[in-house]
Amino acid sequence: MRYNFDLQATEPEPGRSPTPQRDEVEWVQLQNHPVFSCSAAGPVHDSTAARAPRNLLAWDGASRLYFWDSDKLCLHRISIRLGEPDPTSVIASSPSKVLQTDVKLDFAVHKISINRNGSALLLSGSGGLCVMYLYGRTSNKDNATICRTVTVGSQIYLRGNNLIRVLQVSWHPNSDTHLGILSSDSVFRIFDLSSDLIQPEQEYYLQPVQPGRSRNATSICPVDFSFGSEHLWDSFSVFILFNDGSIYILCPVVPFGSAYKWESIVEIHNDAQTFGLKSANSVAVSNSNLAISWLEATFPAITNQETEGSDPYVIKAHPYAIFDASLSLQGPLRKVCHGEDEEDLAFRGAECEGGAVSLLYNLVFKDSILVTAWSGGQLQIDAMADEIQPLWNAGSPPRLRVDSHDHILGLAMICEPTPGKLSPVKLDQPLDSTLWLGLPPPLLRLAIVDLALPRKAKGGSLIMMFTDPLMPERIYTLHDGGLDSIVLHYLPFTSQISGKNETMRTPSVHPVLSTCQGEVPSQSPLSGFVSLSDSFGCSWIVGLTVSRECIVLEMKTWNLLLPHQVDTENKSLCLEEPKEKDMPDLISKELLVGPKVVLLPQSSPSLRSLSADSIEGRSMLHEYFRSFHENYAEYAYKVYFELKHHGPILKRIIDDQHARLGNAQQRLLQVEEKQSKLEDRIDSAFKMQNLLQERLKCLRDLPGPHKKPLSRAEREFKSELDHFSEVELDALRSSINAVTARLKRHTQSPKGNASNQRRLMAKGKDPVQESQVSQLKSSLEKLSLLNGENSKKVKLVESALKSRETSRC
């Protein structure tokens, strides 16, 4: 499938520099950038380019995208902005910054990769290996940036009669100046670009010994390697893949001066002391002692930390090597066996076709995943079932290169497997019994994915694998047919640590780009690929075809890992899908696609007149029978084989479905039996509800419920009124009545008494009596006034209480 985009090619004006000025920069869509114009692409002159995998794109992890121009032999640095102006797009500055090498390259560049801090770019091809330092000087001739370019290992690789080829090269993840190179002479070398470009810092001569095979060098050859990640001893490990699919481990391998996290080193040191030194096995104690001594010599800050009392964030590795032992080539890693019948298959991948072509190590939370790509188009996905421990072979001293002060400058050693370390591991075997015994970690087979790539007569398919920087469960595979995305849904040890009881699910394969036209793939369909991500959780992929057509796609991440189950509380009523762990590991996609569509030649009118015995008739019938056999007969045989192979599994699934159906029918019968009882209980509940509603209505009509209780202040005021009305008011009324009676008697006395009173007054008036009478009169007036006021207050209080009671009613 060919992707056609509306790309605008811009030709530079005569006399104009290829590098723009600041005021000339404009922002365009990345896929519409002039660098990726189809008109700027030239023919591929390298004869090996069609066969060798190519990746001419690199990203520094921030805001710069690099593209190697094979026609102009220069590097384009493009500034990009992710998620602008809308979240689904990527814009780039135009024109790009042009970077040129200060020396002429005598080989065709197939791959580029950038180091950790973005200061150097690796240029590798079939005939050479160079490193381009990106911050160079500016040339006055054409205003381009001339970058210093150096050749790595010029005296080792492809010089004169030396035919040592570079199989794989990669930057070390914990250093900005160290390169790891695997070559065709079965030697793994580490170069330090800051000290020596010609002589390697470390050399490991690989001598694998396969059980039941000879030591012939041509029987097993290395093809790829991958560095480990930050997980215990994985950060010091190198995984090496051989052409028969076997995987070996070198541990520990540490570049001199590389930086590691302090917490990781302390965790490894404590783990060795806890589980190694305290073991009852003498072999485990010896291996852990050797590992602890190596750690303390390579990272002296571990022992000095107790005296200094400070915890640094990162520490650097010091040059060190054990003088009387070399590293053991641990392996081949074997698959965990389910029984004695699988012991002979524990060391080889018999399920895949062709030979192994590439290896990918991916750390997904707590799981170390190894993905092996085969030339037949299959991916073998395994998880390490145990932790890696370092292992040395005693009695095989390394060769050291020191300076005048006896400081180690380089080392070289022969790495061979340790005899007697290839016993298969079974599922019922406890892993605690294998700690620090020198056994290589077993592999737990997760799945085998068939990419259904077009068949090739020679060499098979070349597959390159990349990890998603934002979503570690996703793996991208770049092959002859395009680009696929593989998502891992089952992580055994991560789910075990998190407490989730997840069933084993096979990975899901999502085709992203397809470059096949029918059954015939195009030559070198994609010459570049890079995965982009930002801090907001958005992800994009950028693909580049051989004709410089740039493809930018946004990748969804939020809904890829959602579980299929809906009801997690009631598992008995949950409609679960058939357990995928019961399905076979390898399911061909060819059955789903159907038989190949055969385009038969157009029949001429004279075809019917041909006789079957004639030469032309026999030739035509032979052509028809051959087409029918190659397509429909082979497809029918594959269908028959798959159905026969899946027959017992389908029978088990059907029996399980029938059992679940029988249980569901029994439950339905039980529900029908209880339905009548439930209806009676519902009717009685409705009757009781109606009765309660009637009673509630009657209670609401009563006056009592309508009266609200008095507040605290109202209750205190009412008690005062009651005390005043019951005690003081009665006493006041009685005194008033007594005084009123005395006053009436005094005013109604006989007139004869008046003469007597005058006579007495004439004789002499009594002053005491007169004063008492005056006081009595004043008291009487005051009492009358107080009585009137209290009567008004009592009436006011009674009216307020009555109004409150009426309002409440």
Side-chain angles (χ1 to χ4, degrees):
M1 181 181 296
R2 182 179 177 89
Y3 293 89
N4 295 321
F5 296 91
D6 187 12
L7 303 178
Q8 298 178 358
T10 58
E11 296 292 339
E13 297 179 3
R16 196 165 187 174
S17 63
T19 302
Q21 302 295 330
R22 292 184 178 270
D23 54 351
E24 298 175 347
V25 174
E26 62 175 338
W27 294 91
V28 297
Q29 296 291 331
L30 180 59
Q31 58 269 25
N32 299 330
H33 199 278
V35 172
F36 304 124
S37 174
C38 297
S39 59
V44 180
H45 301 287
D46 186 18
S47 60
T48 61
R51 180 58 190 164
R54 305 177 66 193
N55 189 12
L56 303 180
L57 292 177
W59 180 50
D60 64 348
S63 61
R64 290 180 177 179
L65 184 69
Y66 294 90
F67 164 63
W68 176 259
D69 192 342
S70 301
D71 300 325
K72 299 180 181 179
L73 299 180
C74 64
L75 183 69
H76 295 273
R77 186 174 66 192
I78 306 172
S79 299
I80 60 175
R81 293 178 181 176
L82 304 176
E84 293 184 9
D86 54 86
T88 61
S89 63
V90 178
I91 59 176
S93 61
S94 176
S96 60
K97 181 74 174 179
V98 178
L99 307 178
Q100 294 180 350
T101 59
D102 59 350
V103 295
K104 184 178 180 180
L105 301 182
D106 56 354
F107 63 94
V109 177
H110 293 164
K111 293 182 184 179
I112 65 172
S113 62
I114 196 168
N115 63 348
R116 187 177 56 176
N117 61 0
S119 60
L121 189 77
L122 176 66
L123 306 174
S124 62
S126 59
L129 181 64
C130 294
V131 174
M132 182 179 181
Y133 293 93
L134 301 178
Y135 298 95
R137 60 183 184 273
T138 303
S139 175
N140 297 326
K141 181 179 180 180
D142 51 3
N143 199 24
T145 302
I146 305 301
C147 300
R148 185 172 70 94
T149 306
V150 295
T151 304
V152 181
S154 59
Q155 296 182 357
I156 301 177
Y157 307 113
L158 297 173
R159 283 297 176 182
N161 296 326
N162 193 1
L163 297 180
I164 299 177
R165 296 180 294 105
V166 175
L167 301 177
Q168 182 61 270
V169 57
S170 175
W171 292 98
H172 196 277
N174 294 92
S175 176
D176 297 324
T177 59
H178 284 85
L179 281 176
I181 302 176
L182 181 65
S183 54
S184 58
D185 57 347
S186 298
V187 181
F188 176 75
R189 298 178 176 89
I190 294 180
F191 285 83
D192 187 7
L193 305 182
S194 62
S195 61
D196 195 350
L197 298 172
I198 300 176
Q199 197 168 6
E201 178 186 277
Q202 303 177 31
E203 291 180 285
Y204 300 93
Y205 293 83
L206 310 177
Q207 298 293 332
V209 178
Q210 190 80 342
R213 294 191 178 185
S214 64
R215 291 178 177 264
N216 188 7
T218 60
S219 62
I220 176 172
C221 303
V223 293
D224 198 1
F225 80 95
S226 180
F227 289 111
S229 187
E230 296 179 353
H231 175 69
L232 297 179
W233 289 96
D234 291 13
S235 56
F236 304 141
S237 302
V238 179
F239 300 86
I240 301 174
L241 175 68
F242 288 80
N243 58 348
D244 62 343
S246 58
I247 302 175
Y248 291 81
I249 299 176
L250 286 177
C251 179
V253 176
V254 177
F256 300 159
S258 57
Y260 293 85
K261 290 185 179 180
W262 167 259
E263 298 178 355
S264 302
I265 304 301
V266 173
E267 182 182 5
I268 295 172
H269 189 264
N270 296 336
D271 180 79
Q273 290 182 341
T274 303
F275 299 98
L277 296 180
K278 298 181 181 180
S279 176
N281 196 321
S282 60
V283 178
V285 175
S286 176
N287 292 336
S288 59
N289 264 323
L290 203 60
I292 291 173
S293 64
W294 180 87
L295 273 175
E296 293 176 352
T298 307
F299 303 97
I302 298 178
T303 56
N304 299 333
Q305 187 267 343
E306 297 179 358
T307 58
E308 296 176 358
S310 61
D311 293 343
Y313 181 73
V314 294
I315 53 178
K316 289 188 176 182
H318 289 230
Y320 176 74
I322 299 177
F323 295 97
D324 59 345
S326 298
L327 289 183
S328 173
L329 189 61
Q330 304 182 41
L333 303 186
R334 69 274 190 225
K335 186 175 65 174
V336 177
C337 299
H338 297 268
E340 298 180 357
D341 297 334
E342 294 183 5
E343 292 183 4
D344 57 339
L345 298 176
F347 303 98
R348 57 189 177 93
E351 300 89 345
C352 301
E353 301 175 2
V357 293
S358 61
L359 175 68
L360 175 67
Y361 171 89
N362 187 20
L363 179 63
V364 186
F365 304 108
K366 296 296 182 180
D367 288 81
S368 298
I369 306 298
L370 292 175
V371 185
T372 305
W374 295 74
S375 59
Q378 293 85 20
L379 299 180
Q380 180 180 312
I381 304 176
D382 300 316
M384 287 194 293
D386 199 358
E387 301 294 343
I388 300 175
Q389 279 93 29
L391 186 62
W392 289 266
N393 288 331
S396 178
R399 185 185 64 183
L400 301 179
R401 179 165 50 92
V402 297
D403 58 2
S404 59
H405 301 284
D406 292 335
H407 294 162
I408 298 177
L409 299 179
L411 58 89
M413 62 182 66
I414 299 176
C415 302
E416 295 178 337
T418 304
K421 300 296 183 181
L422 294 177
S423 59
V425 176
K426 300 180 181 180
L427 288 177
D428 55 352
Q429 180 180 355
L431 295 178
D432 297 337
S433 61
T434 61
L435 291 176
W436 291 101
L437 296 182
L439 297 176
L443 298 179
L444 179 62
R445 181 62 47 82
L446 298 182
I448 295 180
V449 178
D450 187 8
L451 299 177
L453 300 182
R455 303 293 179 180
K456 282 192 173 183
K458 297 181 180 180
S461 300
L462 295 177
I463 301 174
M464 299 176 62
M465 296 179 290
F466 308 86
T467 58
D468 194 328
L470 184 64
M471 184 179 175
E473 296 91 345
R474 180 159 53 190
I475 301 171
Y476 295 105
T477 58
L478 181 63
H479 45 76
D480 298 333
L483 179 69
D484 291 337
S485 170
I486 301 173
V487 180
L488 303 178
H489 297 284
Y490 176 72
L491 302 173
F493 302 102
T494 302
S495 60
Q496 182 180 3
I497 294 174
S498 60
K500 298 179 180 179
N501 296 325
E502 297 180 355
T503 58
M504 187 173 181
R505 297 172 54 195
T506 56
S508 59
V509 182
H510 306 277
V512 181
L513 295 175
S514 178
T515 56
C516 294
Q517 297 179 355
E519 293 294 331
V520 180
S522 59
Q523 296 293 331
S524 300
L526 291 179
S527 60
F529 171 81
V530 69
S531 177
L532 310 177
S533 63
D534 60 0
S535 59
F536 298 98
C538 299
S539 178
W540 299 266
I541 61 170
V542 180
L544 183 65
T545 63
V546 71
S547 59
R548 284 197 186 180
E549 295 179 19
C550 182
I551 305 169
V552 180
L553 297 177
E554 183 189 15
M555 304 300 295
K556 300 295 183 181
T557 58
W558 64 271
N559 59 348
L560 291 180
L561 298 177
L562 294 178
H564 290 283
Q565 297 181 358
V566 179
D567 189 2
T568 58
E569 297 180 355
N570 191 0
K571 296 183 180 180
S572 60
L573 298 179
C574 179
L575 297 177
E576 300 177 353
E577 294 184 354
K579 298 181 179 179
E580 294 185 0
K581 65 181 181 180
D582 296 334
M583 300 298 293
D585 293 338
L586 182 60
I587 300 176
S588 178
K589 294 182 179 180
E590 296 180 358
L591 299 182
L592 302 177
V593 177
K596 300 178 181 179
V597 179
V598 182
L599 299 178
L600 297 177
Q602 296 181 358
S603 60
S604 59
S606 62
L607 182 61
R608 295 183 179 180
S609 61
L610 292 178
S611 175
D613 297 334
S614 62
I615 297 176
E616 294 82 0
R618 289 180 181 179
S619 177
M620 187 60 64
L621 289 177
H622 178 72
E623 182 68 21
Y624 283 136
F625 278 121
R626 186 182 63 82
S627 301
F628 177 79
H629 182 270
E630 288 181 356
N631 298 280
Y632 298 98
E634 291 183 1
Y635 177 75
Y637 176 75
K638 291 179 181 179
V639 171
Y640 170 75
F641 178 78
E642 292 288 342
L643 293 179
K644 183 179 179 181
H645 182 68
H646 290 284
I649 300 174
L650 295 176
K651 183 177 181 302
R652 185 165 60 253
I653 295 175
I654 292 173
D655 294 339
D656 185 24
Q657 296 292 338
H658 281 297
R660 293 175 60 186
L661 180 60
N663 294 333
Q665 290 177 353
Q666 290 180 359
R667 291 175 182 173
L668 287 176
L669 293 176
Q670 294 177 0
V671 171
E672 290 177 357
E673 293 178 356
K674 296 179 181 180
Q675 184 178 2
S676 59
K677 297 181 181 179
L678 291 175
E679 290 178 355
D680 296 338
R681 293 180 62 182
I682 291 172
D683 294 338
S684 61
F686 275 117
K687 293 179 181 179
M688 181 61 67
Q689 183 182 5
N690 296 332
L691 180 60
L692 292 176
Q693 288 181 354
E694 292 178 359
R695 294 183 60 185
L696 182 62
K697 185 178 180 180
C698 295
L699 291 175
R700 287 176 179 174
D701 295 338
L702 295 177
H706 297 284
K707 294 183 179 180
K708 296 181 180 179
L710 299 177
S711 62
R712 183 178 180 180
E714 291 175 349
R715 288 196 300 271
E716 292 178 357
F717 182 66
K718 188 174 182 302
S719 62
E720 292 178 0
L721 291 179
D722 294 340
H723 180 73
F724 182 75
S725 60
E726 293 177 358
V727 180
E728 297 181 0
L729 189 58
D730 294 339
L732 185 60
R733 287 177 180 176
S734 60
S735 61
I736 291 174
N737 294 331
V739 172
T740 304
R742 292 178 63 184
L743 182 60
K744 288 182 179 180
R745 287 196 302 270
H746 182 73
T747 54
Q748 294 178 1
S749 58
K751 296 180 179 181
N753 294 335
S755 59
N756 296 331
Q757 291 177 357
R758 293 191 191 98
R759 203 177 294 119
L760 292 174
M761 292 173 63
K763 291 181 179 181
K765 294 183 180 179
D766 190 357
V768 177
Q769 187 176 4
E770 291 180 357
S771 62
Q772 291 178 353
V773 171
S774 61
Q775 290 178 0
L776 183 62
K777 288 182 179 180
S778 61
S779 300
L780 183 60
E781 292 176 356
K782 291 180 180 180
L783 287 174
S784 61
L785 293 175
L786 183 61
N787 187 17
E789 292 178 358
N790 290 334
S791 300
K792 293 179 180 179
K793 290 180 179 180
V794 170
K795 291 180 181 179
L796 181 62
V797 170
E798 289 179 353
S799 62
L801 291 175
K802 288 181 180 180
S803 62
R804 184 181 294 273
E805 290 180 357
T806 54
S807 62
R808 289 179 179 178
C809 295

